Amino acid sequence: MDNFKVIFHIDEQNKAGLVLHNISNLIADLGEENLNIEMVANSEAVKMLVRNTNVFETALKELAEKKVVLCACANAMRDLGIQKEELLDFVTVVSAGVGEIVKKQVEGWVYIRP
Amino acid sequence: MDNFKVIFHIDEQNKAGLVLHNISNLIADLGEENLNIEMVANSEAVKMLVRNTNVFETALKELAEKKVVLCACANAMRDLGIQKEELLDFVTVVSAGVGEIVKKQVEGWVYIRP
Amino acid sequence: MDNFKVIFHIDEQNKAGLVLHNISNLIADLGEENLNIEMVANSEAVKMLVRNTNVFETALKELAEKKVVLCACANAMRDLGIQKEELLDFVTVVSAGVGEIVKKQVEGWVYIRP
């Protein structure tokens, strides 16, 4: 069976619900066992990964339990004054969101930008 | 001559005019005979593929006649309560819009997200 | 060292600041010597490449000096009535923005759409 490697890019906070819905639908369509998924949030979209008062926490946690890697861009965190400790436990910080997306694509991951 | 395989992704209804204009311009630039084009509409953008009161119907039909494959996401149709019979005749329904885009990219199609 | 080839796509004028910020961050992250970067502006986003009263001129010039290729789509220029002479000196005009992005991806460039 093919193993699909997919990177989702989000930089608009109002796309948070759509991106999470897209990822769930993709897992339902192609099967968790056939997928490696990473979501990279940069710019204002890193706010969707902050703890507390986060309406997406349950959906994010479910995806993390399905091995979806959820990344926050350190440049955006610095711009917005967000500390690592403020992020949900299961979030990974990457030095530059766009750099991460470039490197993943060079390694053969496909890019989706909802 | 190279054969270019291009997948367009639209999930915002207000991008409908732009996407169709982009596709027409691409055909004019690279030549219909050198192109395979597919457009995948998911989320609210599936509405642009519904029959009647559709200001894009003429433009969509012209693209379909140029062998552009126009796809609607079945997940989005279910979310929005749209039946297959309500779509324009020449529209193809895919089980998951994002899954379709992933599979096409793995097969070597390039991705454009206007 | 790997040489990364990255094409940025912008068609929304209000994304101009974000795209330029993304490109600067990418250069800081991966190193100017390891990168080939091209930005393609089409639709209304070509306005960000017009001379005078352009708040982005300094940032654009800095990127041009770092060998970032800045392209304007000729179709969009025609639609908006913008002449080549009105563009910043260091801007390259391409016949079709989307065609340029397709050809670059076929040559192995990775695509980022902020």
Side-chain angles (χ1 to χ4, degrees), chain B residues 15 18 21 29 111 113-114, chain C residues 11-12 79 95 105 111 113:
Chain B
K15 288 290 183 79
L18 176 59
H21 194 50
D29 190 50
Y111 176 74
R113 201 291 201 184
Chain C
D11 59 16
E12 297 166 12
D79 291 346
S95 59
Q105 287 197 66
Y111 176 74
R113 201 291 200 185

Side-chain angles (χ1 to χ4, degrees), chain A residues 18-95:
Chain A
L18 177 59
V19 170
L20 300 180
H21 194 49
N22 283 175
I23 296 175
S24 294
N25 281 340
L26 181 63
I27 293 172
D29 190 49
L30 298 183
E32 187 181 337
E33 67 281 14
N34 303 314
L35 280 162
N36 289 306
I37 299 176
E38 181 168 309
M39 186 193 85
V40 175
N42 70 334
S43 192
E44 63 172 34
V46 295
K47 292 179 192 168
M48 75 183 278
L49 299 174
V50 169
R51 267 186 300 167
N52 300 327
T53 71
N54 185 335
V55 297
F56 301 112
E57 181 164 348
T58 304
L60 287 163
K61 197 172 178 187
E62 281 176 15
L63 293 180
E65 286 167 359
K66 291 181 179 178
K67 312 293 183 221
V68 175
V69 177
L70 300 162
C71 297
C73 170
N75 291 314
M77 289 167 63
R78 192 168 49 243
D79 291 346
L80 296 165
I82 297 171
Q83 307 301 316
K84 183 167 177 22
E85 298 72 43
E86 295 173 68
L87 299 177
L88 291 160
D89 286 347
F90 44 76
V91 172
T92 302
V93 175
V94 294
S95 60

Side-chain angles (χ1 to χ4, degrees), chain C residues 82-95:
Chain C
I82 296 170
Q83 307 300 316
K84 183 167 178 20
E85 299 71 43
E86 296 174 67
L87 299 178
L88 291 160
D89 286 348
F90 45 77
V91 172
T92 302
V93 176
V94 294
S95 59

Side-chain angles (χ1 to χ4, degrees), chain C:
Chain C
M1 177 56 98
D2 278 0
N3 201 269
F4 298 102
K5 296 178 286 183
V6 186
I7 192 148
F8 283 84
H9 179 198
I10 175 166
D11 59 16
E12 297 166 12
Q13 212 183 346
N14 67 6
K15 287 291 182 79
L18 176 59
V19 170
L20 300 180
H21 193 50
N22 283 174
I23 296 175
S24 295
N25 282 339
L26 181 63
I27 293 171
D29 190 50
L30 298 182
E32 187 182 337
E33 67 281 13
N34 304 315
L35 281 162
N36 290 305
I37 300 176
E38 180 168 310
M39 186 193 84
V40 175
N42 69 337
S43 191
E44 63 173 33
V46 298
K47 293 180 190 167
M48 74 183 280
L49 299 174
V50 170
R51 269 187 298 166
N52 300 328
T53 71
N54 185 335
V55 297
F56 300 112
E57 181 164 349
T58 304
L60 287 163
K61 199 173 177 187
E62 281 176 16
L63 293 180
E65 286 166 357
K66 292 183 179 177
K67 312 293 184 222
V68 175
V69 177
L70 300 162
C71 298
C73 170
N75 290 314
M77 290 167 64
R78 191 168 49 242
D79 291 346
L80 295 164
I82 296 170
Q83 307 300 316
K84 183 167 178 20
E85 299 71 43
E86 296 174 67
L87 299 178
L88 291 160
D89 286 348
F90 45 77
V91 172
T92 302
V93 176
V94 294
S95 59
V98 166
E100 173 70 10
I101 295 169
V102 166
K103 287 182 281 185
K104 280 285 185 287
Q105 287 197 66
V106 167
E107 293 168 10
W109 291 57
V110 304
Y111 176 74
I112 302 277
R113 201 291 200 185

